[in-house]
Amino acid sequence: MAKLILSVDGQVLKEHVLSKERTLIGRKPHNDIQIDNLAVSGEHAAIITILNDSFIEDLGSTNGTMVNGKPVKKHFLQANDVIEIGKHKLKYFNDAPSQTSPADFEKTMIIRSPSKPAAPPPQQQAPTQQPPTQQPPTPTQQPQTPPPQPAAAAPATAERASSDTVTNMKAMAPEVVKAAPPPPMPTAHADHAPLPDAAIQVLSGAAAGRTLDLTKNLTTIGKPGLQVAVITKRPNGYFITHVEGATFPTLNGASLGAQAHPLGDHDMIEIAGVKMEFFFKP
């Protein structure tokens, strides 16, 4: 079995058998090998012993650790090695054959050391540079067929709706972004007067003062993962619907809820901490 002989100025002080896997050396009383000297750190070094092999590791001591006259941070111990800590010396004796070589010892320690849990893979963020795939509205998304109208006022067909893309709000601010397709639309109103142009103006946040024209059939606003709503442009008006987030945006100070709400001139929207105003253009 391996052992250390502690000496100072040639005088043997103690013999210590390396019977533990980890043997602490330092000035404080709790160490396995206590060296009461100011040149020795509280926890100066450790001897790690596995089967018949040992190595010494400096624990960030103030004055360092030397083996055979050379400073070391970690060293595989072989018979007759002399460890120097301050004025004290520890000579290493081991009559048993070594189980490994210095080159392979680091690998052995990695295998025997408690394995750290693997770091989780980087979370992939949802793409924000490309608009979501457009799909033709399902039958449940179509408003009721209105009475026959002149060609100029007829509601948009499914093919026309699918050709419109979601307005890219990222040019305005990080709070105004693309999002998922809207939920089913409510039934259209009977009034089919020509729909005036409309826009929303950002009143707070980094994009305060910016205006976005609602020229597309679908415009999503908000912040993915927090709050997202969609403004839909239909023949019978503009509607806002909550589509993502644990809490609902507010419309004129009241919770939007899960249903679609028609938008009126100068309605106030607050979503993802950003205030916006909906208005009809002159």
Side-chain angles (χ1 to χ4, degrees):
M1 183 174 289
K3 62 182 179 180
L4 292 172
I5 304 296
L6 176 64
S7 65
V8 59
D9 296 330
Q11 181 180 356
V12 174
L13 300 178
K14 187 177 181 180
E15 178 179 313
H16 189 91
V17 176
L18 298 176
S19 58
K20 298 172 61 178
E21 184 170 296
R22 184 178 179 87
T23 301
L24 285 176
I25 305 171
R27 189 181 71 255
K28 293 182 179 180
H30 70 268
N31 288 277
D32 300 294
I33 301 176
Q34 183 188 11
I35 303 176
D36 189 8
N37 186 283
L38 293 178
V40 181
S41 298
E43 288 188 358
H44 196 104
I47 304 286
I48 309 300
T49 301
I50 300 172
L51 298 178
N52 295 327
D53 298 315
S54 300
F55 80 93
I56 185 168
E57 180 178 10
D58 184 85
L59 300 178
S61 64
T62 301
N63 295 315
T65 301
M66 300 182 71
V67 176
N68 302 328
K70 297 180 180 179
V72 299
K73 290 297 182 181
K74 186 179 292 185
H75 177 80
F76 180 83
L77 292 171
Q78 301 182 71
N80 299 316
D81 278 351
V82 177
I83 302 166
E84 298 177 53
I85 298 178
K87 292 184 178 181
H88 290 72
K89 296 182 179 181
L90 297 109
K91 190 168 185 178
Y92 177 76
F93 291 94
N94 190 357
D95 295 332
S98 177
Q99 300 288 321
T100 186
S101 66
D104 293 335
F105 198 79
E106 198 67 23
K107 182 186 297 183
T108 303
M109 286 307 302
I110 294 172
I111 292 171
R112 291 180 59 85
S113 297
S115 58
K116 296 181 181 179
Q123 184 177 4
Q124 294 184 352
Q125 299 181 351
T128 56
Q129 298 298 327
Q130 299 181 1
T133 303
Q134 297 290 322
Q135 297 182 355
T138 63
T140 58
Q141 293 175 308
Q142 297 294 333
Q144 293 181 356
T145 304
Q149 297 294 326
T157 64
E159 290 76 15
R160 178 182 174 186
S162 63
S163 64
D164 287 321
T165 58
V166 177
T167 301
N168 185 356
M169 299 286 285
K170 291 185 68 178
M172 292 179 58
E175 294 85 359
V176 184
V177 296
K178 299 177 183 179
M185 300 179 182
T187 304
H189 296 294
D191 184 9
H192 296 293
L195 189 65
D197 293 332
I200 55 173
Q201 183 177 26
V202 182
L203 303 180
S204 66
R210 297 288 185 87
T211 300
L212 176 73
D213 293 337
L214 300 175
T215 57
K216 302 297 183 180
N217 285 353
L218 306 174
T219 302
T220 51
I221 58 175
K223 186 174 183 179
L226 183 60
Q227 282 183 329
V228 175
V230 61
I231 297 177
T232 58
K233 178 182 179 181
R234 312 176 199 174
N236 57 331
Y238 295 86
F239 292 80
I240 182 170
T241 308
H242 171 77
V243 294
E244 182 184 341
T247 57
F248 298 113
T250 62
L251 180 63
N252 299 323
S255 176
L256 188 62
Q259 303 300 318
H261 285 261
L263 289 170
D265 198 21
H266 300 298
D267 275 352
M268 301 298 297
I269 303 166
E270 183 170 352
I271 182 168
V274 176
K275 294 182 179 180
M276 307 176 186
E277 180 183 6
F278 172 87
F279 63 94
F280 290 114
K281 299 179 70 174

